[in-house]
């Protein structure tokens, strides 16, 4: 018996009982009936046990074979990912070490955004929050290690559902930028801006400053060599 938790989303046309794995497989754009979308219901089925040959266990099987087959395929993919765990863990640890040893503090560090996250707090639907834009958080790393950071992101994303993968061991240093037009009490970011326009303007000014500093260093270096 193979124990894994897998959830499959599927869609069913209530008027006919037709089942599909995607909404668009059932949706008929030529159907002019106003209740077309309401006739298609989105459902989920959770699986927690599979036979040793990868087939769904009868104890948790869906009554729809298309859903069972999707779960079996998801299990196969998950087991293949788990086989790569040791190799990927070693590589992830190496990448995080490279990133953590990069320069995050000097005046000439140029940061690049590798991830953007927007808040989905229910507060923005409240009376107080409806006039505000959701907060955004930009995850940045020095440009010198952008390639390593993106590779590490892919490995971590790949093993999101892998209980054997140690995310703590390959955690990495980040530069967090918060963009919000309001104060929500979160001061954990490294930089704060009230809008994306303000952030873009500040980034442009930083790039100009970095360019000037680098040019000044080159001039000093050339001057030393001429002496």
């Amino acid at each position: 018996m193979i124990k894994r938790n897998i959830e499959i989303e599927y869609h069913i046309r209530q008027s006919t009982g037709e089942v599909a794995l995607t909404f668009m497989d059932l949706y008929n754009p030529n159907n002019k009936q106003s209740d077309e979308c309401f006739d298609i219901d989105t459902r989920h089925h959770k699986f927690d046990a599979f036979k040793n040959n990868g087939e769904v266990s009868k104890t948790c099987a869906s009554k729809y074979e298309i859903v069972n087959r999707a779960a079996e395929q998801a299990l196969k993919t998950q087991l293949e990912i788990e086989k790569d765990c040791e190799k990927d863990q070693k590589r992830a640890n190496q990448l995080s070490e490279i990133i953590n040893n990069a320069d995050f503090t000097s005046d000439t560090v140029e940061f690049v955004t590798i991830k953007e996250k927007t808040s989905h707090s229910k507060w923005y639907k409240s009376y107080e929050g409806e006039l505000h834009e959701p907060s955004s958080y930009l995850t940045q790393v020095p440009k010198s290690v952008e390639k390593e950071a993106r590779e590490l992101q892919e490995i971590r994303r790949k093993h999101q559902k892998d209980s054997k993968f140690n995310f703590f061991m390959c955690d990495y240093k980040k530069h967090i930028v918060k963009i919000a037009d309001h104060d929500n009490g979160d001061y954990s970011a490294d930089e704060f801006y009230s809008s994306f326009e303000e952030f873009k303007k500040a980034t442009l000014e930083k790039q100009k400053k970095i360019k000037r500093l680098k040019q000044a260093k080159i001039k000093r270096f050339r001057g030393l060599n001429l002496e």
Side-chain angles (χ1 to χ4, degrees), residues 48-109:
D48 58 14
F50 298 82
K51 299 176 182 178
N52 289 332
N53 62 1
E55 293 181 0
V56 169
S57 171
K58 290 182 180 180
T59 59
C60 63
S62 167
K63 63 180 179 180
Y64 303 111
E65 281 305 305
I66 189 174
V67 178
N68 291 330
R69 299 294 83 80
E72 290 166 1
Q73 181 57 48
L75 173 69
K76 181 180 178 182
T77 301
Q78 183 62 33
L79 293 177
E80 288 174 352
I81 289 173
E82 291 175 8
K83 285 181 181 178
D84 294 336
C85 184
E86 184 176 350
K87 172 176 64 71
D88 288 346
Q89 183 77 68
K90 183 178 179 180
R91 178 57 178 165
N93 295 348
Q94 292 172 341
L95 291 168
S96 66
E97 184 176 358
I98 293 171
I99 298 167
N100 292 336
N101 287 329
D103 178 13
F104 275 76
T105 59
S106 73
D107 293 335
T108 56
V109 178

Side-chain angles (χ1 to χ4, degrees), residues 41-169:
D41 187 31
T42 300
R43 301 181 184 180
H44 296 82
H45 192 94
K46 295 181 179 180
F47 300 84
D48 58 14
F50 298 82
K51 299 176 182 178
N52 289 332
N53 62 1
E55 293 181 0
V56 169
S57 171
K58 290 182 180 180
T59 59
C60 63
S62 167
K63 63 180 179 180
Y64 303 111
E65 281 305 305
I66 189 174
V67 178
N68 291 330
R69 299 294 83 80
E72 290 166 1
Q73 181 57 48
L75 173 69
K76 181 180 178 182
T77 301
Q78 183 62 33
L79 293 177
E80 288 174 352
I81 289 173
E82 291 175 8
K83 285 181 181 178
D84 294 336
C85 184
E86 184 176 350
K87 172 176 64 71
D88 288 346
Q89 183 77 68
K90 183 178 179 180
R91 178 57 178 165
N93 295 348
Q94 292 172 341
L95 291 168
S96 66
E97 184 176 358
I98 293 171
I99 298 167
N100 292 336
N101 287 329
D103 178 13
F104 275 76
T105 59
S106 73
D107 293 335
T108 56
V109 178
E110 185 176 352
F111 289 103
V112 293
T113 300
I114 60 170
K115 180 182 178 181
E116 181 179 335
K117 181 180 179 182
T118 302
S119 173
H120 296 288
S121 171
K122 293 180 180 179
W123 180 77
Y124 295 104
K125 295 181 180 179
S126 68
Y127 177 78
E128 283 184 302
E130 64 180 356
L131 297 178
H132 297 282
E133 291 294 324
S135 301
S136 292
Y137 295 85
L138 309 182
T139 299
Q140 299 187 319
V141 295
K143 191 173 183 178
S144 60
V145 291
E146 179 184 3
K147 180 181 177 182
E148 288 81 359
R150 292 193 182 280
E151 183 182 349
L152 178 54
Q153 273 188 320
E154 286 301 313
I155 294 174
R156 290 170 65 91
R157 191 178 295 115
K158 174 182 176 181
H159 290 276
Q160 277 184 339
K161 297 181 180 180
D162 185 353
S163 61
K164 295 181 180 179
F165 191 83
N166 192 324
F167 288 89
F168 178 78
M169 285 181 65

